[in-house]
Amino acid sequence: MRPFTRRLRAPATTAVLAALTVCAALLPLPAGAAPARGSVPAFDTAPAAAALGRLLPDHAGQFRLSADPVDAGGGDSFSLSGTAGAVTLRGTSAAALLTGAGWYLEHVAGVDIGLPGDSVTRLPAVLPGVGTPVTRSAVVPHRYALNDTDQGYSGAYRDFAAYRHEIDVLALHGVNEVFVQTGAELPYYRALQDFGYREDELRGWIPAPAHQSWWLLQNMSGFGGPVSEQLLTARAALGRRITDQLRSLGMTPVLPGFFGTVPPGFAARNPGARAVPQGDWTGFTRPDWLDPTGPVFARLAARYYRAQSEAFGDSAMYKMDLLHEGGDAGPVDVAAASGAVQRALLTAHPGAVWAILGWQDNPSTALLAGVDRSRMLVLDGLSDRYDGLDRDARWQGTPYAFGTVPAFGGHTTFGADTGAWAERFQQWRTRPGSALSGIAYLPEGTGTDPAAFALFTGLAWQDGPPDLDAWFSAYPSARYGGADPHATAAWTALRRGPYGMASGTWSEPQDGLFAARPSLTVTSAASWSPDALRYDPAYVRRALDELLAVAPAVRESDAYRFDLVNTARQALADHSRALLPRIADAYRGADLAGFRSLAGQWRDDLALLDRLVGSDRRFLLGPWLAAARAQGATPAERNQLEYDARSILTTWGGRTASEDHSLHDYANREWAGLVSGLYAQRWGSYLDSLDRALSSGSAPEPVDWYAVDDAWARRTGPRPDEPTEPSGDPVDLARAVADALPPA
């Protein structure tokens, strides 16, 4: 995609955890009984019990888990019953059990575990009983999560604990299919050695991890490399742990399939092969495309899938995007090529589903003409973005998932076109002959918008459109672990503001101008972002005041602190769009005193922004960089991987991609260390140059911004100005933001 705590009583002990394993074990069938005819074999509930032990260490022993048989072809469901301290959960998979637990936490216990943030410290020591038994079923079989760009913008260097927590939370919210890229380079590395390539050639062709997403999309290669043998091995081992974790919960690890990406010179080394040059993608030379209709493709695909299965095991779904974002078919018949790609997949994995992103012109009519469409799933990335869509007609009845692509580049700005979600999903799903069979949560970067995540994933578990006013009014009660009128007022305001944006142009809100390359006329930090506010900023400002007025008990939750910092951050970022034009007017009017006063406000706001986001670990640059360095085996490799992690946030690539194709700041985000270390430095230099120009009557000095950004990207750490731990009180700092801003 275009880079487009307070402890509660009775802590869990070894004995309690041992008892949990026993009570969560699969309930046996009555003597002499047989499984229901056509039912799927029973599953082990222990992985769900282990997940609850991680998420609710003080309360997991109060759940009793058992497996419900599911008829072959039936959908997922869960049932809840039980009394105080003894909650019974039944489900059709370990993941469905966790979905039931998530429903219980929100609707019965009144707390939430989000992505990110939770309020579990607000749970009573004894969990409340269910009252009237509850059963819920998924209304669609496919509940897919994660974008092709997830590795790049969510963090390519996360450890297993981070991935496991994300999987746990995805399951709590009803997801059952998760895209896994970690280690995806290994099958290419192993397979292509049998087709004429040396190990060192392939390690130089494979990009560093933060940029591998676009290599897998056939957009680029090599940047940030070469990768080392130890890194390849370590990432493959991590990928295996991730896929095994998903399988243990009954979730599908969606793996990258093979559709023909090959290194330079493939045809010369493999007689009979035809490789089609793919030209340029935003300043990068694209890898060649091996003609799938030729005699070599099937052999290479078989070798790739064998290597992949050896490394990660098998799956039932594989993700492939032929001719993504301007790919060139050349003389190749697209229908014949797509048919050959699917045959290779089904030969290796009979019955597998090919998932493909619905994006720009993909999948084309020609591509769909060559495949068995019943074995396809289109992940629609534009369901909420444009109006007048007819996906059933466009894709000729091919099964598809209603999707959303927010958080482009992992931007910190929150908000969504929720009206389109509420109206279209049920409308499209229930019309006669609909092929809609899933949802697809596809943020380019995860962990920025817990409310949007909760609302969107919930669509798949309710038989009817959500009442958005009621949903947003109720949301903060569980989110913060208790009802509060000011929290309700805050989220009512946010519903009308960033969560009330209209569809038709974008699926994300605007970014902030503090992160933009300095200019008096700049309207966005990223080139492919909205160039104006998409909502009335007064709603965010009002929400900040209301969040600051909540009762002291509400402030105890982790979720509240995250949301408070996030809302204050967004209010300050929104204000940048009001302040910059005033600075420009003062400069153009040669008002030196006015310019200096307003420029001083801009600098003060940047400093306050950095202190604010520095109070929450999820807004720190330091852990992002430390994670990259931790995966290097030598000082040189640690520096190499740190550059990979820094450059994806700033220059994105070399000078041509960054400047001529405007990829710089595509992944901008308001993080402590990034704000002070780069954004404030850029604006400080720029405002100083304007001040000198006004004072002397001369033109401002030109600045090579790429050189500035590249120098920052090539820093090596750890550095004291890029801390890995938060500092400061988030409530005090959010109040300082409210005091610094004009009233709503």
Side-chain angles (χ1 to χ4, degrees):
M1 196 156 306
R2 188 174 296 278
F4 172 73
T5 75
R6 182 186 64 170
R7 294 291 293 173
L8 296 175
R9 295 191 300 267
T13 63
T14 303
V16 170
L17 291 177
L20 169 64
T21 303
V22 173
C23 73
L26 178 63
L27 294 180
L29 289 167
R37 182 173 203 154
S39 65
V40 174
F43 59 89
D44 184 3
T45 61
L52 290 177
R54 291 187 292 271
L55 297 167
L56 304 167
D58 296 332
H59 297 82
Q62 299 179 47
F63 288 94
R64 307 292 184 266
L65 309 182
S66 61
D68 262 345
V70 56
D71 289 336
D76 279 323
S77 65
F78 63 82
S79 298
L80 283 165
S81 60
T83 57
V87 179
T88 298
L89 266 172
R90 299 181 64 86
T92 51
S93 69
L97 288 172
L98 291 177
T99 305
W103 195 95
Y104 168 84
L105 291 174
E106 178 184 354
H107 296 280
V108 180
V111 300
D112 178 60
I113 299 176
L115 193 64
D118 68 74
S119 54
V120 297
T121 57
R122 301 268 286 161
L123 281 170
V126 177
L127 293 178
V130 175
T132 303
V134 173
T135 297
R136 290 286 184 274
S137 299
V139 298
V140 286
H142 299 289
R143 284 102 57 202
Y144 184 104
L146 304 186
N147 200 302
D148 296 85
T149 64
D150 183 68
Q151 282 274 295
Y153 298 140
S154 299
Y157 296 100
R158 288 169 286 175
D159 61 13
F160 178 68
Y163 283 111
R164 184 175 59 184
H165 178 74
E166 183 175 65
I167 291 167
D168 289 346
V169 177
L170 290 173
L172 281 180
H173 289 265
V175 170
N176 67 341
E177 297 161 348
V178 180
F179 187 47
V180 180
Q181 285 182 312
T182 307
E185 61 272 32
L186 189 70
Y188 283 96
Y189 182 62
R190 288 183 174 168
L192 286 163
Q193 289 180 48
D194 293 346
F195 288 79
Y197 290 88
R198 301 188 313 273
E199 292 178 353
D200 63 306
E201 288 181 290
L202 294 171
R203 290 200 301 271
W205 178 60
I206 297 168
H211 289 79
Q212 283 183 16
S213 295
W214 295 271
W215 169 67
L216 292 170
L217 286 167
Q218 207 178 67
N219 295 153
M220 61 177 293
S221 65
F223 186 83
V227 295
S228 69
E229 184 80 32
Q230 79 82 22
L231 186 63
L232 280 166
T233 302
R235 283 176 53 78
L238 177 57
R240 181 64 192 235
R241 294 185 72 187
I242 294 168
T243 55
D244 284 349
Q245 181 66 22
L246 287 163
R247 292 187 190 97
S248 76
L249 293 171
M251 302 169 78
T252 300
V254 182
L255 301 175
F258 182 75
F259 57 95
T261 300
V262 291
F266 187 89
R269 304 183 195 202
N270 294 274
R274 177 167 63 178
V276 181
Q278 291 300 290
D280 174 89
W281 179 82
T282 64
F284 293 96
T285 300
R286 303 176 68 136
D288 291 345
W289 182 42
L290 176 62
D291 180 359
T293 66
V296 180
F297 179 87
R299 289 194 290 113
L300 178 53
R303 181 67 185 93
Y304 170 92
Y305 285 120
R306 185 166 72 253
Q308 186 181 62
S309 293
E310 291 168 353
F312 308 112
D314 298 331
S315 183
M317 183 177 290
Y318 291 80
K319 177 74 167 58
M320 296 181 278
D321 290 275
L322 261 64
L323 307 174
H324 176 76
E325 290 192 349
D328 182 11
V332 178
D333 181 284
V334 172
S338 63
V341 168
Q342 189 179 57
R343 281 194 301 277
L345 171 62
L346 295 177
T347 298
H349 301 288
V353 171
W354 172 358
I356 186 170
L357 183 65
W359 187 253
Q360 296 184 348
D361 295 328
N362 263 8
S364 67
T365 300
L367 185 154
L368 293 174
V371 299
D372 174 358
R373 295 197 295 274
S374 71
R375 309 309 308 166
M376 301 287 290
L377 179 67
V378 183
L379 308 169
D380 186 9
L382 302 171
S383 298
D384 59 346
R385 183 163 181 173
Y386 300 124
D387 299 331
L389 301 173
D390 186 340
R391 294 334 216 168
D392 290 289
R394 170 72 174 80
W395 295 321
Q396 306 164 55
T398 304
Y400 69 97
F402 182 94
T404 182
V405 182
F408 280 72
H411 299 164
T412 34
T413 313
F414 60 80
D417 302 347
T418 62
W421 299 355
E423 177 184 352
R424 293 179 188 176
F425 175 69
Q426 295 294 347
Q427 186 182 83
W428 293 6
R429 184 180 72 85
T430 58
R431 64 189 173 199
S434 174
L436 192 156
S437 58
I439 60 165
Y441 180 66
L442 305 169
E444 287 202 342
T446 56
T448 64
D449 197 337
F453 167 70
L455 176 60
F456 187 82
T457 53
L459 295 173
W461 290 85
Q462 60 184 70
D463 194 7
D467 180 328
L468 293 179
D469 288 335
W471 192 94
F472 278 96
S473 293
Y475 175 70
S477 294
R479 175 74 176 157
Y480 306 143
D484 184 280
H486 292 290
T488 298
W491 281 94
T492 298
L494 293 174
R495 153 79 180 100
R496 294 171 181 167
Y499 294 102
M501 298 184 299
S503 60
T505 54
W506 300 93
S507 58
E508 67 163 348
Q510 73 292 329
D511 53 18
L513 299 185
F514 292 129
R517 286 271 183 89
S519 166
L520 294 178
T521 58
V522 69
T523 56
S524 67
S527 294
W528 290 279
S529 287
D531 59 5
L533 283 160
R534 295 195 60 221
Y535 54 80
D536 183 346
Y539 286 118
V540 178
R541 178 68 180 84
R542 188 175 308 152
L544 174 58
D545 288 340
E546 295 289 354
L547 286 176
L548 285 167
V550 302
V554 174
R555 297 177 187 169
E556 295 178 10
S557 74
D558 170 68
Y560 169 79
R561 293 191 294 272
F562 174 85
D563 290 352
L564 179 65
V565 170
N566 206 17
T567 303
R569 177 208 53 74
Q570 190 137 325
L572 201 53
D574 288 348
H575 181 61
S576 69
R577 292 180 172 272
L579 182 55
L580 186 61
R582 295 176 61 201
I583 295 173
D585 288 344
Y587 178 79
R588 294 179 186 123
D591 178 2
L592 182 59
F595 172 82
R596 285 177 172 170
S597 175
L598 293 167
Q601 291 182 38
W602 187 271
R603 297 176 201 261
D604 290 346
D605 285 352
L606 271 163
L608 178 56
L609 176 61
D610 193 74
R611 294 197 304 276
L612 170 74
V613 292
S615 68
D616 191 296
R617 191 179 191 278
R618 289 153 294 200
F619 293 97
L620 299 184
L621 172 68
W624 175 274
L625 301 178
R629 293 189 64 83
Q631 294 196 20
T634 66
E637 187 174 33
R638 287 192 282 274
N639 292 343
Q640 175 192 0
L641 300 184
E642 182 176 358
Y643 170 72
D644 183 42
R646 285 179 180 272
S647 62
I648 195 73
L649 301 178
T650 50
T651 58
W652 212 99
R655 184 179 287 273
T656 298
S658 177
E659 308 306 300
D660 297 348
H661 294 270
S662 301
L663 286 185
H664 65 82
D665 298 304
Y666 181 87
N668 74 84
R669 50 198 67 187
E670 286 137 355
W671 279 0
L674 183 56
V675 172
S676 59
L678 180 63
Y679 301 159
Q681 298 304 314
R682 290 195 307 205
W683 279 104
S685 297
Y686 179 68
L687 293 172
D688 286 346
S689 73
L690 295 184
D691 190 297
R692 289 192 295 272
L694 272 181
S695 300
S696 64
S698 59
E701 306 97 326
V703 179
D704 182 350
W705 292 119
Y706 176 80
V708 171
D709 293 354
D710 187 57
W712 182 89
R714 295 184 186 280
R715 286 180 173 183
T716 56
R719 299 172 56 91
D721 58 344
E722 295 166 347
T724 57
E725 295 297 331
S727 62
D729 181 84
V731 177
D732 290 345
L733 288 162
R735 196 175 303 283
V737 171
D739 291 344
L741 295 176

